[in-house]
Amino acid sequence: FSLSPSLARFFFAVKDARVLGQMSEPVKSLPSPTSSGGHPAGSDTYKGWLYKWTNYLKGYQRRWFVLSNGLLSYYRTQAEMAHTCRGTITLATAHIEVGDTCHLVLTSGGRNYHLKATSDGESQRWVSALQQAKANTTHMMHQSDDSGDEAPVPQPDRALTQGALKTLASKLDDLSTCNELIGKHGTALQRSLSELEDLRTATDGTDKLKTVNERATLFRITSNAMINACRDFLDVAETHSRKWQRALQYEREQRHHLEETIEQLAKQHNSLERAWREAPSTHSDGGERRREGDASDENEDTEFFDAMEDSPAFITVTATDHTQHRSDPGSDNMQRRRVRRSRIPDKPNYSLNLWSIMKNCIGKELSKIPMPVNFNEPLSMLQRLTEDLEYSDLLDRAARCESSLEQMCLVAAFSVSSYSTTIHRTAKPFNPLLGETYELDRLDDFGYRSICEQVSHHPPAAAHHVMSQRGWTLWQEITIDSKFRGKYISVMPLGCIHLQFHSSGNHYVWGKVTSTVHNIIVGKLWIDQSGDIEIVNHRTKDTCHLKFVPYSYFSRDLPRKVTGVVADSEGTAHHILSGTWDEKMESAKIVESSRGCGGSEGKQKTVYQTLQPKLLWKKYPLPENAENMHFFSSLALTLNEPEEGVAPTDSRLRPDQRLMESGLWDEANAHKQRLEERQRLERRKREAQATQALEEDFEGFQPLWFERRTDDSTGESTYVYRGGYWESKDRQDWSQCPDIF
C-alpha cells in the first residue's frame, strides 16, 4: 500500500506499534446538541435557551445561556451578548445537581441557580456540557503554574501573538485531517474484517489477512499522528495561555484604575462647579462679564453649531450657566443678596416595612392612606409644585424669542424639566392641610414670585400662581388622583398648566403625565414617567406633542426617553425634540420631510431631515451629599428654609414637617396624627353646617387667595389668583388667615 507525504512523515516517526499503548487519550470535546437545544460555537462554547428561576412573582424566565472557557453566562436576549451580561457562574467551584423533570441546580458562591430545560434530551445535553466544562476547567487549574513571579505583560508582542495563533491554526488543521483519515481507514478496516469472516478458502484468507494487516497498520499510524498532533496543540496552547492571562489581568487592572480616576475627576468637577455657583464673588463677576458681552468678539457662554450651506435659518441656542442665567444684569447689589442654605440634616436610617402598612390599602386613593413620616420627604405637595420652577430660566429665554415655534421648543423643554427632580425622589410629599399656603419670593435673583394654596382636601387640589418680571405669568390648578395597585403606585395629576408671555400674548396650555412608583412589595423603589403631553399655543394654534416612553425590560430604547414634534397651525412639522426627562432635551430644525414605508396599521412613516440638534435644557448636578438629603436639588434644599413674614398658613410653619426635617421622626409622627385628627374634626363641622343649611345657599370652604373663573381661551373653569396676598404680606396683616397648625 502507499502513503501520502503527510502520513509518511508520521509513519517514520513511529518506531514501534507498542507506542500506541503508552499514549494518553485525546481530550474529549463538548457534546454536540440537536436543533431543539443549544448549538456549539467553537470547540469549547455551548449556547442555548434555558429557563431560570427569578422570584416568586415572575417565576421561571427564559434566558440565553452561553458556556465558554469554564464560565456559564446568561442574558435576557441574544442581542444582549454585545453589551450586557446578567450574570456569570464559575464552573470550577460550582456544584452541579440534576433534578427531576428537566431541572438542574448550580450552586456557586453560596447562591443557588435553578434552571429548567424544555425537554429531557436538552437537559441531558446541558448537564453533559456543564460536567465536561467543569472537568476541563478543574484539570487546567491543577496543571497551572502557581508561582506568579512573572511580571504582568503590559503590551504583548503582536508578532508573537499572531505567530502563536497561526501555529494553533496549523495544529487544528492537522487534527482535522487526522480525524478524517481515522474515520476513513476505520471504516475500511471494519469492512475488511467483515469480508474476512465470510471467506471459505485458505487462498482467499491469506490475501484478505494481508489486506487487513495493512489497513490495521495504517489505522495505527493515523491514530498515532492524531495523538501527536493533540499533544502539540496542547503544548502550544498551555505555553501561551499563561502570558495571555497575565496580559488580560493587567488590562483589567488598568481599566479599573482608569474608571476610578474618571470618577474622582467627575466628583472634583462637580464640587468646583457647585463652589463656583455658591461663591458671592463669582455672582458679581458673572454680572460684569454679561454686561461686557456686547463689546466682546468671543463669547464663551454661547454654543455655535454649523449649518448646511444654503439651508434655512435655524435655532441659535445659548447654553448659559446655572448662576449666570438667573442673575439680573441690572442689579448692583448682588453681593448683598441673601445667602440661602445648601444642606439640611441627614436623613435618619429608620427601617419600616412598607408592605405591612399598604397590603390592606390596595385600590384606595393614596391621599386617604394613613402613612407615617418614614415614607415622606420633608416637603409638602405645594412645595413640590413650586419646585417645577427649578428651570424658570427656560421661560426667561422663551420670553425673548421672536419666533413662536422656537418659543414652543423652550416651553416644551420646561414642561419636561419639571420631572428631572423626581428620578430619585420615591418618597411621598406631605398632603397639605385645607387652606395651607406656600410662597416663594425670588424677585431678587430669579425675578419671580410664587404663591400656592390648597383649595380642596378630597379630592386634594392645589392652585398655583407665578408672576415673573421677565415677561411671563404661569398659573395652574392640579388635582392629584392616586391609586395603589399592589405592586406599584400610580399618581395621575389632573388639570392644566397655563403660561402667558406678556409681550406677544402667546398663551400656552398643557397637562402632566402619569408618575408610577414600582417595586412596592419587593426590590428597590424606582419611579417612571409615562404618557403624552399636548402643548397648545391658543393664539397661534401651534402645537407640540411630547411622548414619555414607559420603561420596558424588552425595549431597546433609551430609558426615560422623551420625543416630540413641534408643528404650526396647519400641522406642518418644524422641529424635532428628543432627550430624556432626567437629563436633557435637544431640538433639531426640520429642513425636509418625506413619506416612508413600514408603518403599522398601514400608515406611512414620515422621515425628517434635520440640522444638527441644539441643546435646550440640561439638568443641574445634584448637591454634594444629596443621597443623604432625600436627593434634594439646590432649589429643593431652600424651599423649607425658615423665613420671616410669611403667612401663618405657610408650609414652612407646619410642625410635623419641620420635625421630620430635623430628624425627629417619632415626634413628627405624633404631630402628624394630631393635625390629621384636627382636620377630620373640622371637616365634620363643615358637613354638619352644610346639612343644617340645606335650604340656604351654603358654599362651604372658600380659598383666601384664589377664586374659580372660566378661562377665556379654553373655556374651562379653574382656580385663578384673586390678588391680595403680597399686599397683606407688605402690611403683615394676616387676620383673615385660619389657624390650621
Side-chain angles (χ1 to χ4, degrees):
F1 63 94
S2 60
L3 294 175
S4 64
S6 61
L7 290 180
R9 289 195 301 269
F10 290 123
F11 177 80
F12 291 111
V14 179
K15 296 183 179 179
D16 197 306
R18 288 176 298 176
V19 177
L20 291 172
Q22 303 173 4
M23 296 182 177
S24 60
E25 287 186 358
V27 178
K28 296 179 181 179
S29 62
L30 294 178
S32 299
T34 63
S35 58
S36 62
H39 55 83
S43 61
D44 59 350
T45 301
Y46 193 85
K47 302 179 181 180
W49 290 103
L50 287 175
Y51 288 86
K52 176 183 173 293
W53 175 263
T54 54
N55 53 55
Y56 285 99
L57 294 178
K58 297 182 178 180
Y60 281 95
Q61 296 293 316
R62 194 166 181 250
R63 297 290 184 262
W64 178 255
F65 280 81
V66 177
L67 174 60
S68 177
N69 297 326
L71 299 176
L72 180 64
S73 305
Y74 58 92
Y75 312 83
R76 282 204 178 100
T77 62
Q78 297 183 47
E80 278 193 348
M81 292 179 60
H83 52 82
T84 304
C85 179
R86 300 293 173 176
T88 301
I89 305 171
T90 303
L91 294 179
T93 59
H95 174 68
I96 304 173
E97 180 181 352
V98 181
D100 298 332
T101 63
C102 309
H103 286 75
L104 59 146
V105 181
L106 300 182
T107 304
S108 177
R111 180 178 177 183
N112 294 330
Y113 297 86
H114 295 266
L115 308 178
K116 183 173 66 173
T118 56
S119 65
D120 290 334
E122 182 182 351
S123 175
Q124 185 57 45
R125 283 189 293 274
W126 271 105
V127 170
S128 301
L130 292 171
Q131 291 176 344
Q132 183 66 63
K134 176 178 173 65
N136 292 345
T137 305
T138 306
H139 181 71
M140 292 294 294
M141 290 179 62
H142 288 325
Q143 292 184 349
S144 63
D145 182 11
D146 298 330
S147 62
D149 296 333
E150 299 183 25
V153 182
Q155 292 184 349
D157 184 68
R158 186 176 184 86
L160 181 61
T161 302
Q162 293 295 335
L165 292 176
K166 290 181 179 179
T167 303
L168 289 174
S170 174
K171 296 301 180 182
L172 283 175
D173 291 339
D174 291 341
L175 287 174
S176 178
T177 302
C178 291
N179 183 45
E180 294 176 359
L181 291 174
I182 285 177
K184 176 181 177 181
H185 296 307
T187 303
L189 180 60
Q190 290 178 355
R191 186 170 61 251
S192 298
L193 290 174
S194 299
E195 294 174 353
L196 186 62
E197 292 177 357
D198 297 336
L199 291 178
R200 297 180 180 178
T201 63
T203 305
D204 294 338
T206 303
D207 296 336
K208 292 296 181 180
L209 186 59
K210 182 179 179 181
T211 303
V212 169
N213 289 333
E214 292 175 353
R215 290 180 176 175
T217 303
L218 187 62
F219 183 79
R220 288 196 300 270
I221 294 173
T222 308
S223 300
N224 185 29
M226 177 77 168
I227 296 172
N228 285 335
C230 290
R231 282 179 169 178
D232 293 341
F233 180 84
L234 287 177
D235 290 341
V236 174
E238 291 177 356
T239 300
H240 293 279
S241 64
R242 290 263 170 254
K243 187 178 298 183
W244 291 340
Q245 288 177 2
R246 290 194 301 271
L248 178 61
Q249 181 63 26
Y250 175 80
E251 294 298 333
R252 286 175 176 171
E253 293 175 355
Q254 290 294 100
R255 177 179 177 181
H256 181 68
H257 177 70
L258 181 61
E259 289 175 349
E260 291 182 343
T261 304
I262 293 176
E263 182 179 0
Q264 185 178 4
L265 289 174
K267 291 181 179 179
Q268 293 176 356
H269 176 78
N270 190 9
S271 301
L272 290 173
E273 187 179 38
R274 184 169 52 256
W276 185 90
R277 291 201 313 268
E278 295 173 356
S281 60
T282 307
H283 289 274
S284 178
D285 296 340
E288 294 176 2
R289 184 165 64 252
R290 294 187 67 178
R291 287 192 291 270
E292 296 172 357
D294 296 337
S296 175
D297 293 333
E298 295 182 0
N299 188 351
E300 296 180 355
D301 300 325
T302 302
E303 187 175 357
F304 295 96
F305 299 89
D306 295 332
M308 298 187 306
E309 294 183 1
D310 301 328
S311 64
F314 59 97
I315 302 176
T316 301
V317 180
T318 303
T320 54
D321 183 79
H322 186 182
T323 303
Q324 290 182 355
H325 65 64
R326 294 185 179 275
S327 301
D328 186 1
S331 176
D332 296 329
N333 60 346
M334 280 184 272
Q335 293 186 359
R336 295 194 298 270
R337 287 178 182 170
R338 173 181 174 179
V339 178
R340 301 184 182 271
R341 68 181 185 181
S342 59
R343 66 170 293 108
I344 59 175
D346 288 354
K347 176 183 177 182
N349 187 18
Y350 288 161
S351 61
L352 192 63
N353 187 358
L354 177 62
W355 177 241
S356 65
I357 295 176
M358 305 195 69
K359 62 184 178 181
N360 298 321
C361 304
I362 298 177
K364 295 183 180 179
E365 289 188 15
L366 193 61
S367 59
K368 295 183 179 180
I369 299 177
M371 302 272 289
V373 299
N374 302 56
F375 303 114
N376 287 78
E377 62 179 15
L379 290 179
S380 72
M381 181 60 73
L382 301 181
Q383 291 166 315
R384 283 288 293 267
L385 203 61
T386 306
E387 199 176 344
D388 288 353
L389 301 173
E390 175 91 21
Y391 299 94
S392 63
D393 62 288
L394 292 171
L395 301 184
D396 298 341
R397 290 162 53 190
R400 298 191 295 268
C401 284
E402 297 182 358
S403 169
S404 62
L405 294 173
E406 295 181 8
Q407 190 178 74
M408 175 69 83
C409 293
L410 290 169
V411 172
F414 173 78
S415 68
V416 175
S417 69
S418 62
Y419 297 98
S420 64
T421 60
T422 66
I423 179 62
H424 301 294
R425 304 269 290 279
T426 55
K428 176 179 176 289
F430 280 80
N431 289 329
L433 303 177
L434 189 62
E436 185 175 334
T437 61
Y438 180 74
E439 68 158 76
L440 185 63
D441 188 351
R442 304 300 292 267
L443 283 177
D444 57 342
D445 46 3
F446 299 162
Y448 65 76
R449 274 179 166 179
S450 168
I451 174 66
C452 291
E453 183 177 7
Q454 186 76 1
V455 296
S456 173
H457 187 64
H458 287 299
H464 185 204
H465 181 270
V466 188
M467 187 280 299
S468 173
Q469 293 179 339
R470 300 178 183 176
W472 53 270
T473 300
L474 181 145
W475 67 96
Q476 60 180 319
E477 177 195 348
I478 297 296
T479 301
I480 302 298
D481 183 15
S482 54
K483 291 291 184 181
F484 174 52
R485 306 294 185 181
K487 293 193 297 183
Y488 62 90
I489 293 175
S490 295
V491 180
M492 296 152 285
L494 308 176
C496 293
I497 304 172
H498 297 256
L499 172 65
Q500 188 167 24
F501 292 98
H502 303 163
S503 59
S504 63
N506 288 336
H507 183 183
Y508 296 88
V509 180
W510 70 92
K512 286 181 172 288
V513 296
T514 299
S515 301
T516 306
V517 182
H518 295 270
N519 289 349
I520 297 298
I521 301 177
V522 292
K524 182 180 179 181
L525 294 175
W526 61 278
I527 194 167
D528 192 24
Q529 313 289 347
S530 60
D532 296 343
I533 293 180
E534 191 76 21
I535 308 176
V536 180
N537 183 345
H538 283 273
R539 190 184 73 84
T540 64
K541 305 305 178 184
D542 298 338
T543 60
C544 175
H545 182 81
L546 293 173
K547 180 176 181 60
F548 287 65
V549 180
Y551 176 78
S552 172
Y553 286 107
F554 306 101
S555 175
R556 296 183 180 180
D557 287 336
L558 188 68
R560 298 174 283 278
K561 181 180 179 181
V562 181
T563 59
V565 178
V566 175
D568 58 20
S569 58
E570 297 180 354
T572 304
H574 291 268
H575 296 274
I576 296 294
L577 305 181
S578 61
T580 58
W581 54 262
D582 67 321
E583 183 179 359
K584 65 179 181 179
M585 286 296 293
E586 296 177 335
S587 71
K589 185 175 179 60
I590 298 174
V591 295
E592 185 179 351
S593 62
S594 59
R595 291 289 180 180
C597 59
S600 59
E601 300 179 359
K603 298 180 180 178
Q604 289 185 329
K605 292 184 178 180
T606 303
V607 180
Y608 297 108
Q609 180 182 352
T610 65
L611 299 177
Q612 290 294 322
K614 283 79 176 176
L615 182 66
L616 292 175
W617 158 76
K618 186 175 182 180
K619 181 184 177 181
Y620 303 139
L622 289 175
E624 186 178 1
N625 196 40
E627 64 276 7
N628 295 321
M629 299 186 295
H630 308 274
F631 287 98
F632 281 178
S633 64
S634 298
L635 177 63
L637 288 174
T638 67
L639 293 180
N640 204 43
E641 185 176 8
E643 190 165 328
E644 297 180 357
V646 299
T649 55
D650 197 273
S651 299
R652 298 178 180 89
L653 304 177
R654 182 166 174 165
D656 53 349
Q657 187 173 303
R658 180 64 60 189
L659 288 169
M660 182 197 174
E661 182 185 273
S662 302
L664 305 174
W665 285 17
D666 293 335
E667 294 84 346
N669 276 319
H671 277 277
K672 186 173 185 290
Q673 294 178 5
R674 177 184 63 82
L675 292 175
E676 290 175 348
E677 182 62 29
R678 180 177 179 179
Q679 183 166 243
R680 282 191 285 268
L681 291 175
E682 292 293 332
R683 184 181 181 184
R684 294 192 191 103
K685 289 181 181 179
R686 288 193 299 271
E687 291 175 349
Q689 293 174 359
T691 302
Q692 295 175 0
L694 287 177
E695 299 179 357
E696 303 176 4
D697 294 334
F698 184 76
E699 297 181 352
F701 175 80
Q702 294 296 320
L704 279 179
W705 314 112
F706 290 83
E707 62 183 3
R708 187 170 290 281
R709 296 179 191 170
T710 301
D711 187 83
D712 296 336
S713 300
T714 63
E716 297 178 353
S717 178
T718 183
Y719 278 100
V720 296
Y721 180 57
R722 70 169 67 184
Y725 179 86
W726 303 109
E727 291 78 7
S728 296
K729 182 180 180 180
D730 292 339
R731 299 192 305 268
Q732 282 299 294
D733 179 13
W734 305 115
S735 57
Q736 54 184 330
C737 293
D739 180 15
I740 61 174
F741 299 140

